[in-house]
Amino acid sequence: MTDTARDFLIAPSILSADFARLGEEVDDVLASGADIVHFDVMDNHYVPNLTIGPLVCEALRKHGVTAPIDVHLMVRPVDRLIGDFIEAGASYITFHPEASDHIDRSLQLIRDGGCRSGLVFNPATPLAYLDHVMDKVDMVLLMSVNPGFGGQKFLPGTLDKLREARRRIDASGYDIRLEIDGGVKVENIAEIARAGADTFVAGSAVFKGRNAADPHRYDGVIGEFREQLAGVR
Ligand code: DX5
Ligand code: ZN
């Protein structure tokens, strides 16, 4: 694997996992080569769906998961849950700026708790929210679908937005990851990477892609992602 290929991180979204066997599913995707666990938190208020909270994050840590857990908060308000997820063992905590009354404070709360912080941009949310907080984010997450559900189609307008986000990050000089979330597939991951993303959330593509011969292995689909990424740059 080249250095460049190693720097591309694959983050399966457990939203598409079998929740009745969640610990095992997370072990299986990590053993199959995934880098990060993407953990979608939905509150039936900020988004029209209800998923999992800090108890489940803590349970994964107690189960023995040591990989980074990338908590994507789709909740309003955000601040109290930030504290709960810090306690629960989150590695990254990202939130939608529209959902916080005090964006700078929320970012600071995350870093003060020893986690990496990030802002999430819906398809229609302007990157201008980054203007005054570039020094306080470790991750910029662009939604390539409207948040709330897995299995939606990648919105192609996100590619231009990725290029713009990449420009901003490079110009800032800070070490900030650029993550993409929604509709990432083997067929489009290379184009998404060329537009500037370095961290790839994939829910349905990964969990529907289990190996036919061994239902505990996802290395077929994860290997195909890596192959596509190896051809980039
Ligand atoms: C959508 C979530 C995503 C979702 C991605 O609101 O933030 O993480 O699970 O799922 P796919 O890869 O199926 O689009
Ligand atoms: Zn997500």
Side-chain angles (χ1 to χ4, degrees), residues 31-141:
S32 302
D35 302 296
I36 296 184
V37 179
H38 186 77
F39 192 106
D40 285 309
V41 184
M42 304 186 187
D43 68 347
N44 187 40
H45 173 67
Y46 180 66
V47 290
N49 199 355
L50 185 64
T51 59
I52 45 178
L55 281 177
V56 177
C57 183
E58 193 182 350
L60 288 176
R61 287 297 187 215
K62 285 189 175 149
H63 174 74
V65 174
T66 55
I69 298 181
D70 169 30
V71 173
H72 173 191
L73 292 180
M74 288 163 273
V75 304
R76 181 193 284 138
V78 301
D79 287 1
R80 208 186 56 79
L81 278 178
I82 285 172
D84 291 351
F85 273 103
I86 289 167
E87 292 296 312
S91 309
Y92 286 89
I93 301 177
T94 64
F95 64 92
H96 291 248
E98 303 94 327
S100 172
D101 288 328
H102 305 282
I103 296 164
D104 184 280
R105 174 185 291 150
S106 301
L107 289 169
Q108 199 60 57
L109 275 174
I110 296 169
R111 283 214 178 150
D112 287 351
C115 292
R116 295 190 182 165
S117 61
L119 289 182
V120 191
F121 295 83
N122 283 335
T125 303
L127 294 175
Y129 277 108
L130 287 170
D131 281 353
H132 307 286
V133 291
M134 213 58 183
D135 59 329
K136 295 198 170 78
V137 297
D138 301 295
M139 172 98 91
V140 171
L141 170 48

Side-chain angles (χ1 to χ4, degrees), residues 148-215:
F149 303 94
Q152 302 180 76
K153 210 171 162 333
F154 184 89
L155 295 169
T158 316
L159 292 172
D160 274 343
K161 200 171 177 187
L162 269 174
R163 285 184 269 270
E164 170 60 21
R166 170 51 60 202
R167 269 194 295 276
R168 282 176 179 254
I169 289 170
D170 290 350
S172 78
Y174 291 111
D175 183 15
I176 299 173
R177 298 210 69 89
L178 179 50
E179 185 174 43
I180 187 81
D181 185 1
V184 176
K185 308 282 174 211
V186 171
E187 295 70 37
N188 62 10
I189 195 168
E191 191 181 16
I192 294 167
R194 277 193 292 270
D198 56 31
T199 306
F200 306 86
V201 176
S204 46
V206 169
F207 285 98
K208 281 187 184 157
R210 75 175 76 236
N211 292 10
D214 180 351

